[in-house]
Amino acid sequence: MRKSEVIASEAVSALNKALCHLKDIWEEIGIPEDQRLQRNNVVKNHIKGLLDMMIKEEELLRKRLLDSIQACRSEMEKLCAELQRPVFQEERGITMLQQEKNIRTQVEALVKEKTVRMQQLKTLLEQDQDLCDLLCSLPYGISSESVPSLEQLENFRKHIADQNEEKGKRHAEFVEVKKQIVLYMEDLEHIPMTSFEKDVVSEDEDAFCLSKDNIASLKVFLCQLESLKAENDTMCESLREQIQQLWSRLQIPQEEREAFNEHMVTSRKKNLEALQAEAQRLEELKLQNIRNVIDAIRSEIAVLWEKCFFSIDQREAFAPYFSDVFTEELLSLHDAEIGRLKQHYEDHKELFVSVDEWERNWRLFLDLEKKASDPSRFANRGGNLLKEEKHRTELQKSLPKLEKKLKVQIDRWETEQGTEFFIHGQKFLKYVAEQWELFRSEKEKEKQERHLKKTKQIEIDMLYGTTVRTPSKRKFLANTTPNRVKKMNATSCSSNTTSNGTMRSVFGGTLCRSPVPRTPLASKVQESRTPNGAKPPHPRLQTFNKENEGHLKGTPKSARLVQGL
């Protein structure tokens, strides 16, 4: 028999003994039967209530055990799912208490493992958050509430390692860019104004946020400083050009210029301020010498007009150029105009340079053509004649090529500008064509003049014979030797003895005989000469030649011979 059964039997025996004792007391007292029944009912109810209470408590205990088992089982299943572990297999044939203990022990182990994982996750999340704050990157994307698996924890650790590596790269890039920024800021004497600029130059480099945006902003800031440096250099160069121009216009002494040489080389902030101050001083001085300055600017404008090939109408369009009222407003108009002209020239410098090259080559070509037509060129020594001819040939070939190149440039210019390109008031290609046409016309005219001159000379030779005057030194010498005299037939020689002798004495040189006798004309010519044998004045000779044109053109040779006789 179990101890619990023995204790139960003893409890029943004690209860019966107590009831018998109560019965004896009631009899001894003499309590009536009805009251005994009441008292027995009280005892029964009391004992029954006590037992019911005890039974209820035990039933509650059983229920608690069942609830605990169920709760632990549910918790275990949940933990196994969270920890991605297989569900715990319960032992069969054990009591409720043992079952509850086993399940509770398993749950405690799973809870401990969950705690460890969550602690590792928390540590990794803190590191990830620090890196995210430093790199301004997105979190890893793992929930801090759910239990991570072992694989997730491993991947998380790799992500943290990658983030640390990225942090090192960005930090090295930040340090390098920071050095350049500090150098530019020192060069520009730039004081950090914003919090970002202060963070950049801060000595605590670890405090700078190494986000992609910050690195990009850092590079943008570096580019801004570079642009500011370039702008500063440009401003300084512009001010230097302005100052040099004003020095020239105002005729500033060389001593004052040399004293300012320090600021004409470097381009730091103090140099810029000094250049601005000097430019301001010169501008004020310019206003005091406004007329001289305007005259100097007008000279520059005239040069730019020539460079840009402005026509008379284009030049006259700038009316202030011709004004005699020298005011600040007039000076401002001239400054604006020269700035516009300089910009216009720089924008189209390539085209203007090509046009200027063509004009220079064209003038040189015309000059060489003129020299080629000059008979005195044969007296040239040292081989220059051959060089000039070679240069002229090269120009004659290169000019059309240059004109084709200019046509392409002008077409592009007209497309961009939407207007036609003019030079000297007319379209360039038309101007070029006219120049070539004028050149050909001049060549044709010279050819015709030479032909006409040659024809007239032949006519004169036919009328009077060819006279070779004794020239000056180094010219062709007169030759009177008999073997140089043109041979004639016997009739012509005998009939022209007197006249040829007379002609020779008049002209003072060797005379080639005429094909026909001209005694009357010879005497007429002799009367028209000066006593010392010089030629008659040119107009009179022309008149005399015209009088004989009819004889040469309309009269047959035999008739002219009769008239001469």
Side-chain angles (χ1 to χ4, degrees), residues 457 461 464-471 475-480 484 503-504 507-512 535:
Q457 184 63 41
D461 291 345
Y464 314 116
T466 303
T467 303
V468 182
R469 297 281 309 277
T470 302
K475 296 292 183 177
F476 294 104
L477 298 176
N479 192 349
T480 57
R484 303 293 293 180
M503 293 288 288
R504 189 180 297 111
F507 288 95
T510 303
L511 176 65
C512 295
K535 288 186 177 180

Side-chain angles (χ1 to χ4, degrees), residues 541-550:
L541 181 59
Q542 286 184 338
T543 305
F544 181 76
N545 289 338
K546 288 181 181 179
E547 291 175 355
N548 291 279
E549 286 179 359

Side-chain angles (χ1 to χ4, degrees), residues 178-188 268:
K178 177 183 176 180
K179 290 180 181 178
Q180 300 179 29
I181 288 176
V182 170
L183 291 176
Y184 276 122
M185 293 179 73
E186 290 177 355
D187 194 26
L188 295 170
R268 300 176 70 90

Side-chain angles (χ1 to χ4, degrees), residues 267-327:
S267 300
R268 300 176 70 90
K269 184 178 180 181
K270 63 178 183 180
N271 303 123
L272 176 61
E273 293 173 352
L275 290 170
Q276 290 173 339
E278 178 67 8
Q280 180 65 27
R281 182 185 73 85
L282 293 173
E283 286 290 339
E284 294 174 357
L285 187 61
K286 179 180 72 174
L287 294 177
Q288 299 173 6
N289 300 270
I290 192 166
R291 178 163 186 168
N292 295 334
V293 173
I294 290 177
D295 289 339
I297 295 176
R298 283 177 175 175
S299 299
E300 296 179 24
I301 288 175
V303 172
L304 287 170
W305 279 346
E306 291 295 331
K307 285 185 176 182
C308 296
F309 303 98
F310 273 28
S311 63
I312 299 299
D313 293 337
Q314 288 177 299
R315 301 183 186 196
E316 290 179 351
F318 182 58
Y321 185 85
F322 307 97
S323 176
D324 294 332
V325 181
F326 298 95
T327 61

